[in-house]
Coordinates of all heavy atoms in Angstrom, one line a residue:
L1 N 113.1 87.2 127.6 CA 113.2 85.6 127.9 C 114.5 85.5 128.7 O 115.4 86.2 128.4 CB 113.1 84.9 126.6 CG 111.8 84.7 126.0 CD1 111.9 83.7 124.8 CD2 110.7 84.4 126.9
Q2 N 114.5 84.5 129.4 CA 115.6 84.3 130.3 C 116.3 82.8 129.7 O 115.7 82.2 128.9 CB 115.3 84.0 131.8 CG 114.8 85.3 132.4 CD 114.1 85.1 133.7 OE1 113.3 84.0 134.0 NE2 114.7 85.8 134.7
R3 N 117.5 82.7 130.2 CA 118.3 81.5 129.8 C 118.7 81.4 128.4 O 119.6 82.3 128.0 CB 117.4 80.2 130.2 CG 117.2 79.9 131.7 CD 116.5 78.7 132.0 NE 116.2 78.6 133.3 CZ 115.5 77.5 134.0 NH1 115.0 76.5 133.1 NH2 115.3 77.5 135.2
N4 N 118.2 80.5 127.5 CA 118.8 80.2 126.2 C 118.3 81.1 125.1 O 118.8 80.9 123.9 CB 118.5 78.7 126.0 CG 119.1 77.8 127.0 OD1 120.1 78.1 127.4 ND2 118.5 76.7 127.2
H5 N 117.4 82.1 125.3 CA 116.8 82.8 124.1 C 117.0 84.2 124.4 O 116.7 84.9 125.4 CB 115.4 82.5 123.9 CG 115.1 81.1 123.5 ND1 115.4 80.6 122.4 CD2 114.7 80.0 124.3 CE1 115.3 79.3 122.3 NE2 114.7 78.9 123.5
D6 N 117.5 85.0 123.3 CA 117.7 86.6 123.4 C 116.5 87.0 122.7 O 116.5 87.4 121.5 CB 119.0 86.9 122.7 CG 119.2 88.4 122.7 OD1 118.5 89.1 123.5 OD2 119.9 88.9 121.7
C7 N 115.4 87.1 123.5 CA 114.2 87.5 122.8 C 113.4 88.4 123.7 O 113.3 88.2 124.9 CB 113.2 86.1 122.5 SG 111.6 86.5 122.0
S8 N 112.7 89.4 123.2 CA 111.9 90.4 124.0 C 110.6 90.6 123.3 O 110.5 90.5 122.1 CB 112.7 91.7 124.1 OG 114.0 91.5 124.8
I9 N 109.6 90.9 124.1 CA 108.3 91.2 123.6 C 107.8 92.5 124.2 O 107.9 92.6 125.5 CB 107.4 90.0 123.8 CG1 105.9 90.2 123.4 CG2 107.4 89.6 125.3 CD1 105.1 89.0 123.2
L10 N 107.1 93.4 123.4 CA 106.7 94.6 124.0 C 105.3 94.9 123.8 O 104.6 94.4 122.6 CB 107.5 95.9 123.4 CG 109.0 96.0 123.6 CD1 109.7 94.9 123.0 CD2 109.4 97.4 123.1
L11 N 104.6 95.6 124.6 CA 103.2 96.0 124.4 C 103.2 97.6 124.4 O 103.7 98.1 125.4 CB 102.2 95.5 125.5 CG 100.8 96.0 125.6 CD1 100.1 95.6 124.2 CD2 100.0 95.5 126.8
V12 N 102.8 98.1 123.3 CA 103.1 99.7 123.2 C 101.8 100.3 122.9 O 100.8 99.8 122.2 CB 104.0 99.8 121.8 CG1 104.1 101.3 121.6 CG2 105.3 99.1 121.9
F13 N 101.5 101.4 123.7 CA 100.4 102.4 123.5 C 100.9 103.8 123.4 O 101.9 104.1 124.0 CB 99.5 102.3 124.6 CG 98.8 101.0 124.9 CD1 99.2 100.1 125.9 CD2 97.7 100.8 124.2 CE1 98.7 98.9 126.2 CE2 96.9 99.5 124.4 CZ 97.5 98.5 125.4
D14 N 100.4 104.6 122.6 CA 100.5 106.1 122.7 C 99.9 106.5 124.0 O 99.0 105.7 124.6 CB 100.1 106.9 121.5 CG 98.7 107.0 121.4 OD1 97.8 107.1 122.2 OD2 98.3 107.0 120.1
R15 N 100.3 107.6 124.5 CA 99.7 108.0 126.0 C 98.2 108.1 126.0 O 97.7 107.6 127.0 CB 100.5 109.3 126.3 CG 100.2 109.7 127.8 CD 100.8 108.6 128.7 NE 100.4 108.8 130.1 CZ 101.3 109.4 131.0 NH1 102.4 109.9 130.5 NH2 101.0 109.6 132.2
E16 N 97.6 108.6 125.0 CA 96.1 108.8 124.9 C 95.5 107.3 125.0 O 94.5 107.3 125.7 CB 95.7 109.4 123.7 CG 94.2 109.8 123.7 CD 93.8 110.6 122.4 OE1 94.7 111.2 121.9 OE2 92.6 110.6 122.1
E17 N 96.0 106.4 124.3 CA 95.4 105.2 124.2 C 95.6 104.4 125.6 O 94.7 103.7 126.1 CB 95.9 104.3 123.0 CG 95.5 104.7 121.6 CD 94.0 105.0 121.4 OE1 93.4 103.9 121.4 OE2 93.5 106.1 121.3
A18 N 96.8 104.5 126.2 CA 97.0 103.9 127.5 C 96.1 104.5 128.5 O 95.6 103.8 129.3 CB 98.5 104.2 127.8
D19 N 95.9 105.9 128.4 CA 94.9 106.4 129.4 C 93.5 105.8 129.2 O 92.8 105.7 130.3 CB 94.9 107.8 129.2 CG 96.2 108.6 129.8 OD1 96.9 107.9 130.5 OD2 96.4 109.8 129.5
K20 N 93.1 105.6 128.1 CA 91.8 104.9 127.8 C 91.6 103.5 128.4 O 90.8 103.1 129.1 CB 91.5 104.8 126.3 CG 91.2 106.1 125.6 CD 91.0 105.8 124.2 CE 90.8 107.1 123.2 NZ 90.6 106.6 121.8
M21 N 92.8 102.7 128.3 CA 92.9 101.5 128.8 C 92.8 101.5 130.4 O 92.1 100.7 131.1 CB 94.0 100.7 128.4 CG 94.1 99.2 128.9 SD 92.7 98.2 128.4 CE 93.3 97.8 126.8
L22 N 93.5 102.4 130.9 CA 93.6 102.5 132.4 C 92.3 103.0 133.0 O 91.7 102.6 134.1 CB 94.7 103.6 132.8 CG 96.2 103.2 132.7 CD1 97.1 104.3 132.9 CD2 96.4 101.9 133.6
S23 N 91.5 103.8 132.1 CA 90.2 104.2 132.7 C 89.3 103.0 132.8 O 88.4 102.9 133.6 CB 89.7 105.4 131.6 OG 88.2 105.7 131.9
I24 N 89.3 102.2 131.7 CA 88.5 100.9 131.7 C 88.9 100.1 132.9 O 88.1 99.6 133.5 CB 88.6 100.0 130.4 CG1 88.0 101.0 129.1 CG2 88.0 98.7 130.6 CD1 88.1 100.4 128.0
M25 N 90.1 100.0 133.1 CA 90.7 99.1 134.3 C 90.3 99.7 135.6 O 89.9 99.0 136.5 CB 92.1 98.8 134.2 CG 92.6 98.1 132.9 SD 94.4 97.8 132.9 CE 94.5 96.5 134.1

């Protein structure tokens, strides 16, 4: 987040699961 909030959000996959998602895409 920018400006007034020190906040972060992450989307995490292990490599195998990320490859599955990329294959679908």
